[in-house]
Amino acid sequence: MNMIIKSTLIVVTAITSNFSLANNISPDFLLNEIDISYKKYVYSSLEVGIYAMESVIRLQESDRSSELLHKTGPASLALSYLRLGLLYEKLGLNKDADKVFYKAVTSYKSQVTDSENVSLIELKKFVVGIDASIAANKNSNKDT
């Protein structure tokens, strides 16, 4: 009986999320979701961070309109993949990390540049640098 209820809930959730994703996503909504996911990535447990990053990736993948890319930046999806991969690595889920790192590099190449080769190491350094810069700015704002 419990299995039937769980299965039904999963189906209802999937249908509901598909209907909501079928509509265009506003740039402001997506930017807010990215911000929330980033905060979960930084300040929550690894599991909560993974859930948040997976959710925002689904949103980013559902609508790749030029309006959203202009507002969020073409590398936003790649950065989300990279952050998800870093969380997987911290949990020792290396196969999962490798899959999303591949998606990060592929997404970055297709959205930002198709002539330039970019390595995973370069992208990881870039994301770690951005995250450190954001953390430093937040800490300096607290001091003032």
Side-chain angles (χ1 to χ4, degrees), residues 4 12 15-16 25 46-47 60 64 66 69 71 76-77 79-80 89-91 122 124 138 141 143:
I4 293 171
V12 170
I15 291 170
T16 305
I25 299 170
L46 295 175
E47 292 80 6
Q60 290 172 306
R64 294 190 190 180
S66 60
L69 286 177
K71 192 87 166 186
S76 180
L77 178 59
L79 299 180
S80 295
E89 271 187 339
K90 287 179 183 177
L91 280 176
E122 291 172 317
K124 279 184 176 181
K138 285 186 180 186
N141 288 340
D143 295 338

Side-chain angles (χ1 to χ4, degrees), residues 53 75-84 104 108 123 126-127 130:
M53 294 312 299
S76 180
L77 178 59
L79 299 180
S80 295
Y81 276 128
L82 274 164
R83 289 181 173 121
L84 177 59
Y108 186 84
L123 287 178
F126 180 66
V127 167
I130 289 174

Side-chain angles (χ1 to χ4, degrees), residues 55-120:
S55 296
V56 80
I57 286 169
R58 279 192 299 276
L59 283 173
Q60 290 172 306
E61 288 178 336
S62 71
D63 188 348
R64 294 190 190 180
S65 65
S66 60
E67 181 184 5
L68 282 178
L69 286 177
H70 176 71
K71 192 87 166 186
T72 62
S76 180
L77 178 59
L79 299 180
S80 295
Y81 276 128
L82 274 164
R83 289 181 173 121
L84 177 59
L86 292 171
L87 292 172
Y88 282 147
E89 271 187 339
K90 287 179 183 177
L91 280 176
L93 303 171
N94 295 328
K95 286 184 181 182
D96 292 329
D98 290 343
K99 287 178 189 176
V100 294
F101 285 148
Y102 174 78
K103 288 181 179 183
V105 171
T106 304
S107 174
Y108 186 84
K109 284 183 180 179
S110 69
Q111 294 296 322
V112 178
T113 179
D114 35 323
S115 61
E116 224 179 279
N117 282 335
V118 62
S119 73
L120 179 59

Side-chain angles (χ1 to χ4, degrees), residues 40-58:
K40 297 293 181 191
Y41 161 77
V42 172
Y43 300 113
S44 296
S45 69
L46 295 175
E47 292 80 6
V48 170
I50 287 172
Y51 180 79
M53 294 312 299
E54 287 173 343
S55 296
V56 80
I57 286 169
R58 279 192 299 276

